[in-house]
């Protein structure tokens, strides 16, 4: 059996860490099994769905490198849904209900007051034709519920293990709104059938939906439902729920504001909450060997941005020059070479940090010289070229011996003369990159041209 999976986001908000995790895990699952990855846009909620969000989802996936083999949109499939609806009505599996939201809320309240679970009582099944006509004459439009078959519903979840529901604890789900539009559950199951989806990987907020979907698969004509994997929801670092509104963790923000690497995000989300330790990967191949859906635990993992940032640094420290040179050129650093990259790379947390190092190395720098006599003496003690990363120590040892200065009194004036700033990248790495000529010019207080 060839694996066919889908990532089915609703375009009702920017794609965020919580839902992109389902994308990462589903995509990796497809890659691991040489399968087919469908991007399905669940846009049945026409009011809340926006093109802007759909574009954001696509841009986010593309930036992460999660290419899809095929794309589908529920909005384009209304005819197919209408045909299935007609069939389910004919089979008596959809029934029309005329209760208003207020009436349903009252029923639930009364049930709860009696200590009963708030399950729909199927009163609509007892309506006579006459009563229905009366409702219609009053201007009421029916919504339609799917009639569950009594009994147990069971499946072996790839993450949760055996799961069991009983229909006596479930309400018949509403599949069609009063305006006649189909709801997510119906469209999703029809799509999963039509696309021959073999595995559904999604958040555990869908566990109870899966129970009713399993009966719907059968009613619509697919005897064996897909296999299911329900991932625990991600919590934020404080243990709260991650929501779409938690904008600081949208993919857009991770990319634009946090400046993180796609492979850091993928490495993090692929293993977060699994029994494998999180490691930095720069390529998918080795990650696939470690990745296994069945290794996810049932406990909710925490999404700690600081941890992701630390992982980002580790990913960058492994990235070869060839992997970044195009992006460096886009940042205006087309003359930055492999030697510079290799020297500076271990000090970067984010790629953008390289800008500080480049500016200090190449200028323009306005040297800040507060004690010209000291700086002049230091200049006369510069070791001869060629310089390496040990030159800084050699030099400052010599300056220390000659002047008796140490600690901050020794380093700060040198830093200020060489960089014009009180803090910044490590000078041991920078000194050979700045080079003897520029170092001497800066120590002499010469301002560089922009
Ligand atoms: N549109 C649904 C969601 O974003 C899809 C769930 C599913 O994978 O079926 O939650």
């Amino acid at each position: 059996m060839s694996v066919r999976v889908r990532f089915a986001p609703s375009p009702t908000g920017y794609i965020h860490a919580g839902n992109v995790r389902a994308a990462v895990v589903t995509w990796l699952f497809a890659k691991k099994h040489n399968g087919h990855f469908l991007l399905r846009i669940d846009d049945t909620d026409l009011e809340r769905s926006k093109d802007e969000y759909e574009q954001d989802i696509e841009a986010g996936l593309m930036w992460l490198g999660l290419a899809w083999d095929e794309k589908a949109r529920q909005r384009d499939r209304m005819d197919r849904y209408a045909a299935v609806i007609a069939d389910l009505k004919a089979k008596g599996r959809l029934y029309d209900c005329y209760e208003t939201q207020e009436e349903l809320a009252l029923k639930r309240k009364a049930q709860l007051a009696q200590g009963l679970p708030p399950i729909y009582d199927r009163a609509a099944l007892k309506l006579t034709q006459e009563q229905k006509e009366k409702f219609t004459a009053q201007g009421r439009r029916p919504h339609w519920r799917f009639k569950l078959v009594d009994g147990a519903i069971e499946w072996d979840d790839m993450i949760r293990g055996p799961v069991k529901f009983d229909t006596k604890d479930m309400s018949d789900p509403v599949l069609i709104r009063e305006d006649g539009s189909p709801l997510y559950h119906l469209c999703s199951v029809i799509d999963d059938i039509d696309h021959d989806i073999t595995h559904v990987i999604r958040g555990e907020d869908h566990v109870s939906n899966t129970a009713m979907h399993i009966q719907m698969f059968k009613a619509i004509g697919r005897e064996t439902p897909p296999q299911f994997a329900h991932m625990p929801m991600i919590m934020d670092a404080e243990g709260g729920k991650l929501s779409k509104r938690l904008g600081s963790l949208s993919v857009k923000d991770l990319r634009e504001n946090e400046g993180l690497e796609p492979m850091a995000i993928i490495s993090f989300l692929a293993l977060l909450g699994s029994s494998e330790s999180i490691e930095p990967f720069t390529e998918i191949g080795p990650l696939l060997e470690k990745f296994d859906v069945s290794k996810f635990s049932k406990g909710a993992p925490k999404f700690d941005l600081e941890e992701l940032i630390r992982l980002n640094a580790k990913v960058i420290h492994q990235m070869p020059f060839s992997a970044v040179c195009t992006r460096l050129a886009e940042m205006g650093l087309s003359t930055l070479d492999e030697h510079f990259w290799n020297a500076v790379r271990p000090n970067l947390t984010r790629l953008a940090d390289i800008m500080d190092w480049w500016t200090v190395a190449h200028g323009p720098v306005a040297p800040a010289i507060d004690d010209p006599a000291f700086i002049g003496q230091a200049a006369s003690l510069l070791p001869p070229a060629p310089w390496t990363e040990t030159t800084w120590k050699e030099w400052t040892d010599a300056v220390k011996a000659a002047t008796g200065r140490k600690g901050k009194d020794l380093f700060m004036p040198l830093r200020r003369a060489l960089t014009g700033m009180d803090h910044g990248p490590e000078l041991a790495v920078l000194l050979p990159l700045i080079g003897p000529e520029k170092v001497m010019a800066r120590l002499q207080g010469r301002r560089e041209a922009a």
Side-chain angles (χ1 to χ4, degrees):
M1 175 189 69
S2 66
V3 163
R4 295 178 61 87
V5 290
R6 84 301 194 282
F7 171 54
S10 303
T12 53
Y14 294 111
I15 186 165
H16 61 94
N19 48 24
V20 87
R21 176 168 173 246
V24 168
V25 171
T26 306
W27 186 87
L28 288 170
F29 186 81
K31 292 293 142 207
K32 188 156 180 132
H33 299 279
N34 259 320
H36 179 273
F37 178 72
L38 168 73
L39 168 62
R40 188 183 85 201
I41 304 294
D42 281 4
D43 54 0
T44 46
D45 185 342
L46 294 177
E47 240 161 71
R48 289 173 59 226
S49 296
K50 292 213 173 78
D51 284 347
E52 183 194 343
Y53 297 137
E54 184 177 329
Q55 282 155 19
D56 175 72
I57 290 165
E58 291 197 14
L61 294 181
M62 272 179 332
W63 174 68
L64 287 166
L66 307 180
W68 48 96
D69 298 302
E70 190 184 349
K71 181 186 162 190
R73 217 193 259 124
Q74 293 192 324
R75 215 191 315 165
D76 300 335
R77 296 191 14 96
M78 290 301 161
D79 291 349
R80 167 71 177 136
Y81 304 147
V84 174
I85 289 169
D87 180 51
L88 289 176
K89 283 183 184 172
K91 287 181 186 153
R93 293 302 297 272
L94 281 174
Y95 62 97
D96 43 349
C97 307
Y98 295 79
E99 295 94 341
T100 61
Q101 289 299 332
E102 294 72 37
E103 285 165 353
L104 289 172
L106 275 179
K107 271 191 195 189
R108 282 194 293 267
K109 217 170 148 188
Q111 286 168 316
L112 289 170
Q114 291 172 54
L116 297 169
I119 291 167
Y120 180 61
D121 60 6
R122 291 183 162 171
L125 281 176
K126 297 181 198 96
L127 291 176
T128 62
Q129 197 52 35
E130 215 180 5
Q131 286 169 308
K132 289 184 187 177
E133 276 160 21
K134 210 164 135 197
F135 282 133
T136 311
Q138 288 170 2
R140 291 199 190 195
R141 296 279 165 268
H143 56 274
W144 296 73
R145 287 186 191 259
F146 177 72
K147 199 172 154 202
L148 293 166
V149 176
D150 292 348
I153 303 172
E154 292 175 66
W155 76 92
D156 194 9
D157 196 283
M158 291 161 74
I159 296 175
R160 302 168 72 82
V163 183
K164 190 171 174 182
F165 276 80
D166 197 311
T167 52
K168 71 174 175 3
D169 306 319
M170 296 161 66
S171 291
D172 287 340
V174 176
L175 298 190
I176 304 172
R177 298 184 186 90
E178 275 160 42
D179 65 4
S181 60
L183 280 152
Y184 152 74
H185 303 293
L186 182 64
C187 306
S188 178
V189 171
I190 298 173
D191 289 347
D192 286 342
I193 293 176
D194 291 355
H195 283 102
D196 290 323
I197 296 300
T198 57
H199 298 78
V200 169
I201 302 170
R202 58 187 172 194
E204 71 180 3
D205 49 338
H206 285 283
V207 172
S208 58
N209 291 338
T210 294
M212 64 206 199
H213 290 184
I214 285 177
Q215 283 210 358
M216 289 164 61
F217 273 101
K218 212 166 170 171
I220 300 170
R222 177 165 152 182
E223 222 31 60
T224 321
Q227 273 186 266
F228 293 95
H230 290 94
M231 292 190 297
M233 308 307 276
I234 307 183
M235 299 283 149
D236 63 22
E238 285 78 44
K241 200 175 166 227
L242 267 199
S243 70
K244 280 190 196 180
R245 277 160 288 278
L246 222 138
S248 61
L249 294 180
S250 72
V251 173
K252 201 183 169 85
D253 276 324
L254 294 175
R255 174 186 185 174
E256 290 170 12
N257 301 339
E258 296 298 336
L260 300 180
E261 297 301 310
M263 276 311 294
I265 298 172
I266 291 183
S267 306
F268 188 68
L269 294 178
L271 301 172
L272 180 70
S274 90
S275 56
E276 293 284 349
S277 56
I278 295 179
E279 273 181 58
F281 288 93
T282 54
E283 278 167 49
I284 297 295
L287 170 59
L288 281 183
E289 275 166 39
K290 223 177 161 191
F291 170 81
D292 185 346
V293 170
S294 64
K295 286 188 184 157
F296 282 105
S297 68
K298 284 193 253 173
K302 279 192 183 146
F303 185 107
D304 181 354
L305 187 57
E306 293 309 316
E307 192 186 346
L308 174 55
I309 292 170
R310 285 194 294 275
L311 190 71
N312 193 74
K314 290 186 193 158
V315 166
I316 292 214
H317 301 169
Q318 291 179 29
M319 281 163 68
F321 181 65
S322 59
V324 288
C325 58
T326 311
R327 285 163 66 199
L328 293 172
E330 282 163 11
M331 288 161 72
L333 305 178
S334 51
T335 53
L336 193 154
D337 63 9
E338 188 164 3
H339 171 73
F340 190 98
W341 171 251
N342 289 340
V344 164
R345 185 177 69 166
N347 300 282
L348 306 178
T349 299
R350 299 169 167 88
L351 187 68
D353 297 347
I354 200 161
M355 224 50 211
D356 300 341
W357 294 78
W358 182 257
T359 308
V360 172
H362 291 270
V365 158
I369 297 180
D370 311 308
D371 183 346
F374 170 68
I375 294 298
Q377 203 179 354
S380 69
L381 293 166
L382 277 169
W387 287 356
T388 67
E389 287 191 9
T390 58
T391 305
W392 169 254
K393 182 161 191 317
E394 238 177 89
W395 182 37
T396 50
D397 281 350
V399 177
K400 187 174 172 182
T403 64
R405 290 201 191 205
K406 54 182 192 280
K408 210 175 160 203
D409 289 342
L410 169 67
F411 298 115
M412 189 55 85
L414 295 177
R415 174 176 288 282
R416 284 174 52 76
L418 291 174
T419 71
M421 296 183 293
D422 294 346
H423 55 84
E426 234 186 287
L427 283 164
V429 180
L430 274 172
L431 203 66
L433 295 173
I434 303 172
E437 209 175 298
K438 275 206 164 86
V439 165
M440 187 51 92
R442 290 181 192 174
L443 293 177
Q444 289 169 352
R446 278 189 262 143
R447 214 191 159 86
E448 289 160 10

